[in-house]
Amino acid sequence: MADPERGDVQELRLDSIVPNRFQPRQQFSEVELAELTASLKQNGILQPILVRRKGDGIYELIAGERRLRAAKMAGMLKIPAFVRNVSDQESMVLALVENLQRDNLNPMETARAYQRMLNEFGLTQDAIAQKVARERSSVANMLRLVTLPVEVQQLVESDQLSTGHAKVVLGLATPAAQISLAQRIVVEQLSVREAERLVQEHAEAKKAGKRPIRAPLRSDLEERLQKRLGTRVDVVRGRRSGKIVIHYFSPEELDGIVERLLN
């Protein structure tokens, strides 16, 4: 089998393939994996995975992690794969594009992948939009999601809060108010239009000097650290000392945070 762009298919040992460091997808359904495993046992793998050479007989996965996991669960020793020589940046873009085409990513996974392209590869929003074949405004809107408090991000990730709702929540200035509104949307099952009305009321109340949507206040230091690191940061103060807690959602995101801290 051959592909004009990807080359010939090779049979690679499963134990020679390491995970993709730039895999944007973090959530894999156990049910879907079990179904795919059963299908592989019955029909074999119909579509090869995509890998790149790392040297010494080792390959790094670019795209096809679900097939690779299912092949291991099915007890297979080898898997068909296209081998392609690409850079780190190209590897990440290919993995992202494949997941976007399959509609496999939740909004937060997409947003964090865009953010990694910005932070680790220095790409502009225009460049990202071209690589993933999206409108620049779409990329910009997704990137705004990573500025939300971690509590709100988790609601988006778990599909309790839609992207439309999250955009409305972004209309509030403080993380405290954003958390409060997001929780209210989930609890009261508010529509996007109803949420927009609350934001409007919040703005009017604030203008009139009334107390707006409330929630525990976050310090200016926490907000500045969150913007700098692109993730939630809590400053816990004691009587004489304290600690700074930095949250992350994947090993890859941890690597990016450490890189930014050390540089």
Side-chain angles (χ1 to χ4, degrees):
M1 186 185 301
D3 182 285
E5 294 185 353
R6 298 186 174 190
D8 295 331
V9 174
Q10 300 182 27
E11 289 286 330
L12 302 180
R13 290 186 57 83
L14 293 181
D15 57 12
S16 70
I17 304 170
V18 297
N20 182 353
R21 292 173 293 153
F22 305 104
Q23 169 62 264
R25 188 179 183 186
Q26 300 300 319
Q27 297 181 355
F28 292 86
S29 163
E30 295 294 332
V31 173
E32 290 180 3
L33 272 178
E35 291 175 347
L36 182 56
T37 300
S39 173
L40 294 189
K41 288 180 177 177
Q42 183 71 28
N43 306 306
I45 291 186
L46 302 179
Q47 182 181 1
I49 62 173
L50 181 62
V51 301
R52 60 175 178 162
R53 279 194 186 83
K54 297 299 289 180
D56 297 328
I58 299 298
Y59 299 84
E60 184 179 80
L61 183 69
I62 296 176
E65 181 158 347
R66 210 167 64 93
R67 276 163 282 159
L68 182 63
R69 290 189 183 201
K72 291 178 179 177
M73 292 169 65
M76 298 170 63
L77 297 178
K78 292 185 176 182
I79 189 169
F82 291 112
V83 181
R84 191 167 173 182
N85 295 321
V86 297
S87 65
D88 285 351
Q89 182 183 129
E90 291 170 321
S91 176
M92 184 174 188
V93 170
L94 286 169
L96 179 59
V97 169
E98 194 214 32
N99 279 290
L100 288 174
Q101 288 177 343
R102 293 171 181 268
D103 201 21
N104 280 335
L105 300 179
N106 67 53
M108 289 313 311
E109 289 173 329
T110 302
R112 290 174 191 136
Y114 290 167
Q115 186 187 40
R116 292 191 71 186
M117 290 181 176
L118 279 175
N119 294 337
E120 297 178 30
F121 301 122
L123 296 180
T124 64
Q125 291 184 9
D126 281 327
I128 294 172
Q130 288 179 11
K131 288 182 179 296
V132 301
R134 293 283 196 275
E135 295 290 333
R136 194 203 65 80
S137 58
S138 170
V139 172
N141 283 331
M142 293 303 291
L143 279 167
R144 293 180 68 206
L145 296 182
V146 298
T147 67
L148 287 166
V150 67
E151 292 89 343
V152 182
Q153 293 187 29
Q154 288 170 344
L155 292 174
V156 176
E157 204 153 28
S158 61
D159 203 25
Q160 296 181 73
L161 201 69
S162 73
T163 306
H165 284 110
K167 290 177 182 174
V168 176
V169 171
L170 281 163
L172 295 173
T174 67
Q178 291 173 340
I179 293 170
S180 180
L181 176 59
Q183 291 173 340
R184 186 170 173 182
I185 290 171
V186 173
V187 170
E188 299 181 18
Q189 294 290 293
L190 300 179
S191 67
V192 171
R193 187 175 297 275
E194 290 170 329
E196 287 174 338
R197 188 161 55 246
L198 281 179
V199 170
Q200 180 64 32
E201 291 173 0
H202 172 87
E204 292 172 355
K206 193 174 180 180
K207 192 175 180 180
K210 297 178 182 177
R211 200 175 183 86
I213 298 172
R214 295 186 304 170
L217 296 177
R218 290 178 60 75
S219 70
D220 176 64
L221 175 59
E222 288 172 324
E223 290 188 29
R224 283 190 291 144
L225 288 170
Q226 178 171 309
K227 287 182 179 177
R228 176 68 182 86
L229 298 176
T231 189
R232 181 188 174 94
V233 179
D234 293 320
V235 178
V236 182
R237 293 184 171 86
R239 293 184 61 186
R240 293 181 176 274
S241 61
K243 59 184 177 182
I244 297 176
V245 181
I246 301 172
H247 300 253
Y248 66 92
F249 301 91
S250 67
E252 293 77 16
E253 188 174 7
L254 173 61
D255 291 341
I257 292 170
V258 171
E259 190 71 23
R260 288 193 287 281
L261 286 171
L262 295 180
N263 289 332

